[in-house]
Amino acid sequence: MSTSIGFLLLLITVGFALLCLGRPIWALSLLVMMWATEQLLQTFLPFLLSNGIYFNAYVAIIVAIAAMKCMSRTDSNFSAYFNGTTICVLLLYMLGLLGLVWTPQREYAMNQVIWLGPYIITAVFFAPHLIRNISDITELRWMLMVGGVII
């Protein structure tokens, strides 16, 4: 019984991800709700409990496709992406990577960087391109409220 509920939830997630391709801001809500959705799916589908990286990669691919769709538009904000704030954030990440030079547990730290690298790339490079104007923020807020209630 719980497996059938899990497959129903997985189908809903796949359907929502396909809708994200039409409304890119929904992909950002999927990214924000990724951990809660993953925990919900892992409750009902034991396969995802030991292979959670598949769901994370699935969300990252959906966000990347939606971001590329936004960047390909003529009214894209890609040229405004490289501003002072973005450069400061990138410099902070570079400073964190530079800290790996003198860490006492270099192997553990490198494993963490490799494990968290896709999340950082998705959140720092792809997610900002999904927001085009202030009405997208309002729509994102509504999607997060509705999705949070459902989850």
Side-chain angles (χ1 to χ4, degrees):
M1 177 67 166
S2 66
T3 306
S4 61
I5 293 172
F7 281 120
L8 177 66
L9 290 172
L10 190 63
L11 253 141
I12 290 170
T13 305
V14 169
F16 183 74
L18 292 175
L19 290 174
C20 289
L21 299 176
R23 302 285 306 191
I25 193 67
W26 291 10
L28 186 58
S29 69
L30 182 64
L31 178 67
V32 172
M33 294 186 298
M34 176 176 65
W35 290 278
T37 307
E38 181 181 11
Q39 294 297 316
L40 179 67
L41 288 173
Q42 285 176 349
T43 303
F44 293 105
L45 295 173
F47 171 76
L48 288 177
L49 191 59
S50 59
N51 300 304
I53 193 72
Y54 293 132
F55 181 74
N56 298 340
Y58 171 71
V59 171
I61 289 169
I62 293 297
V63 170
I65 291 171
M68 303 249 184
K69 182 179 177 186
C70 284
M71 286 188 279
S72 68
R73 292 184 178 161
T74 56
D75 62 341
S76 172
N77 60 357
F78 184 70
S79 61
Y81 178 69
F82 294 102
N83 56 25
T85 305
T86 306
I87 291 171
C88 286
V89 168
L90 294 176
L91 287 174
L92 282 174
Y93 276 110
M94 292 298 146
L95 182 64
L97 286 173
L98 184 64
L100 294 176
V101 172
W102 60 81
T103 185
Q105 295 183 348
R106 187 170 302 189
E107 294 81 23
Y108 176 74
M110 286 305 292
N111 286 337
Q112 288 296 318
V113 168
I114 291 169
W115 180 254
L116 295 175
Y119 300 112
I120 293 170
I121 290 170
T122 304
V124 173
F125 291 111
F126 290 131
H129 296 291
L130 298 174
I131 301 172
R132 289 183 297 163
N133 53 33
I134 197 72
S135 65
D136 284 348
I137 300 292
T138 304
E139 188 174 351
L140 173 67
R141 184 187 61 178
W142 281 105
M143 289 304 299
L144 291 176
M145 286 193 307
V146 170
V149 167
I150 290 171
I151 291 174

